[in-house]
Amino acid sequence: MNSKWIPTGVVASVVLLGAITMSCGNKADEEAGVVRIGSKMISMPSFEAFRRMQRMYPTRMPEVFPGNRTPITFMVETQLLYDKASPLLGSHKALETRDWSWKQKFFPAHLYLSEVLEPTLGVTDEEIERYYEENTEEFRDTVTKFETKKVPAAEGDTTADTTGMKDSTVAQDSAYIQPLSQVRNEVIERAFLEKHPPTEEFVEEQRAEDSTVSESVIERMWINTARRNLPDFFMEVLYEEQYGEQFPDSVDVWYGEGKLITPDDMDVIMSWLPDNQREMYQGDPQRMNDLAKWLLIWELLSDEAEDSGFMENYEPGKVMDWARKVQVAIHHVENQVVEKAREGKSVDTTMAKYAYWDGIYRVQLPVDSSRLASVLQDRWNDIVALGVDSIIHSVRQDANVEFLQSDWKDERDMNPQQMLAQADSARDTGGVKIAEELYRSVATNFAFLPEGERAVGELAKILTENERYNDAIRHYRRKLLWYPQSDEEMCNTFFMIGFIYDEYLGKAELAEQNYKWLLKNTPDCELADDAEFMALHLNEPMSSVEELRGEAARQGRDIEDEPVELEEIEEEVEG
């Protein structure tokens, strides 16, 4: 989850997001279009509302969707999934949960805090204008103008002109009323004091420390106290307005079974917290009380946001609309798309074991079952995510998605075949860095397509040539874990991994295990003889042609006259 919504430790304040001014005119929306999905056009203000919703989102986004999607991709695919899910009866279940009920309070409360309470201390535009009109004289100011006039000169004054007069600068005061735009902040504070004057208790506390403190100083301290603790301040104000009594000192008055905030409500919010924060709150009554108080703040502020009509404004309404769509889209993915993505899929335990050894950089026998189980789970998650991405990609292909601004395109809108062709051309003409970027983009954004599989392999080759051996092994292993492979393909990939461990990393035991898999499972593949030879001579230099010939004679078979080189292996793998 986004950790900024709640601090680590005692909850003290809420992160107030800066207000973003949005145009709500239809014509402006059309001119600021970002993307068209079928017949629906999403405007720039709508996209900005989506991004704000994403920044505010109170829980960690699921890994399978949206995962690491960019904001524009997340928005487009949210709309597509929402459109696909909304006609289905089951989609509405996403909006019938206690989780969604609290998100319906969380978003309005935070928006109201950031756009109303923080900039205006809860004073409405009507109240600001009324106070200004009723107290205009408070904002009268004086400006001094200096004018040059002719005055009689004293006898003998050499500055006098021929008529006996001289220039003299005269100051003249002119009174005027300062415009509201110029004194708006001052009006807000005075209107706030009129609406929420310092309590007797607060005044007594200040005068107990300094009996001579003036009223104006006390008022300034009161305003500063409110600004520093806006959520708590308005929680108490709204509680008193709604329930007709001062906010109680005891949390037991409003928290408990059958009360305003219940333990079931707390369970929802606790589920929003990451494990490390959840453990920090559990077992600490004071922190749990502080957390319960946040729920009360959201309850009261969300009611105020709705009652005041604030949520009917364009941006708050759009933020809430996108939050609802995300709720439905994620629910649809988790309850329908994931199930479809799992069909016929499995993880090869043997392949996962080799990935586990890659991770610990050594061969461990027997294998640590708990750590292997973790690797298996990660690989299973990867495979399911590929399936989900493939299904969502099909939904995109069926829809007409058109990006309207060159600054806002996502790479999943690109053509992977063209990207591969560009990468191949760049690599063949010496543009290895460009080729790597293109291969990596295809491997990342289109991993679920055949083009993504090929990009993974091409990237592994470039990484090997650039001496980034561990990264190369990860990509070779990814081919074995993610994609169905023929025996020949598996033979080639296992050989390349073994070769890198042997020749470049000096990890003979890891090289040996990869060669052995090849010899045991694909003994008739083209690289089997080379793998056998390499396995027999781990840690031995291969600089002597005579040595190679001798080994061949002892084994009763023919081999090349030269030591095995990476270029030859790659040619044979590709051939």
Side-chain angles (χ1 to χ4, degrees), residues 514-528:
N514 283 274
Y515 289 144
K516 281 184 175 180
W517 185 95
L518 183 163
L519 294 169
K520 179 180 179 181
N521 295 280
T522 58
D524 297 325
C525 70
E526 291 187 12
L527 288 172

Side-chain angles (χ1 to χ4, degrees), residues 10-29:
V10 177
V11 181
S13 64
V14 69
V15 175
L16 298 176
L17 303 172
I20 304 174
T21 303
M22 294 296 172
S23 166
C24 60
N26 292 334
K27 183 176 181 181
D29 286 0

Side-chain angles (χ1 to χ4, degrees), residues 278-335:
R278 191 179 306 128
E279 293 172 0
M280 180 179 65
Y281 281 89
Q282 290 172 333
D284 189 327
Q286 182 57 54
R287 283 177 170 163
M288 291 295 287
N289 288 346
D290 289 335
L291 191 57
K293 187 180 289 185
W294 274 110
L295 273 67
L296 179 60
I297 290 171
W298 300 341
E299 177 80 38
L300 296 171
L301 289 185
S302 62
D303 287 346
E304 182 70 9
E306 292 290 345
D307 294 344
S308 67
F310 168 74
M311 293 305 295
E312 296 175 7
N313 295 331
Y314 180 84
E315 191 192 1
K318 264 299 178 185
V319 168
M320 202 65 226
D321 185 46
W322 278 119
R324 177 173 55 85
K325 290 180 178 180
V326 166
Q327 186 83 1
V328 171
I330 289 176
H331 182 272
H332 178 65
V333 169
E334 292 181 340
N335 290 275

Side-chain angles (χ1 to χ4, degrees), residues 366-537:
V367 173
D368 184 322
S369 58
S370 63
R371 295 180 68 175
L372 178 60
S374 178
V375 173
L376 282 166
Q377 185 61 54
D378 289 343
R379 299 293 72 78
W380 174 243
N381 293 343
D382 291 340
I383 290 172
V384 172
L386 283 178
V388 168
D389 287 349
S390 178
I391 294 170
I392 294 175
H393 182 70
S394 296
V395 174
R396 283 187 64 149
Q397 295 297 99
D398 292 340
N400 183 17
V401 179
E402 179 187 4
F403 288 89
L404 305 177
Q405 296 189 25
S406 58
D407 291 342
W408 292 108
K409 288 189 177 182
D410 68 302
E411 290 184 322
R412 292 194 179 185
D413 187 54
M414 304 289 286
N415 186 317
Q417 293 179 344
Q418 292 180 357
M419 295 172 72
L420 281 181
Q422 293 169 1
D424 293 342
S425 176
R427 180 193 55 198
D428 295 343
T429 55
V432 177
K433 186 174 181 180
I434 295 174
E436 180 183 341
E437 291 175 356
L438 287 166
Y439 286 135
R440 193 178 294 277
S441 181
V442 175
T444 300
N445 295 293
F446 299 98
F448 47 87
L449 296 177
E451 291 84 357
E453 178 182 354
R454 188 167 88 79
V456 169
E458 297 300 332
L459 187 56
K461 295 175 187 176
I462 286 180
L463 292 167
T464 304
E465 292 164 2
N466 290 342
E467 300 181 0
R468 290 150 66 186
Y469 301 122
N470 288 312
D471 202 8
I473 289 172
R474 280 193 293 272
H475 282 79
Y476 277 124
R477 192 71 70 191
R478 183 177 296 177
K479 288 190 64 176
L480 298 168
L481 290 162
W482 285 11
Y483 306 106
Q485 303 280 296
S486 67
D487 284 353
E488 197 67 32
E489 289 171 328
M490 295 184 77
C491 168
N492 294 341
T493 303
F494 265 99
F495 184 89
M496 288 305 303
I497 295 173
F499 188 83
I500 293 171
Y501 273 132
D502 182 13
E503 288 298 293
Y504 301 119
L505 296 176
K507 303 297 290 185
E509 60 175 355
L510 286 166
E512 181 180 18
Q513 290 297 328
N514 283 274
Y515 289 144
K516 281 184 175 180
W517 185 95
L518 183 163
L519 294 169
K520 179 180 179 181
N521 295 280
T522 58
D524 297 325
C525 70
E526 291 187 12
L527 288 172
D529 288 347
D530 291 323
E532 182 181 2
F533 177 81
M534 300 291 283
L536 288 170
H537 299 282

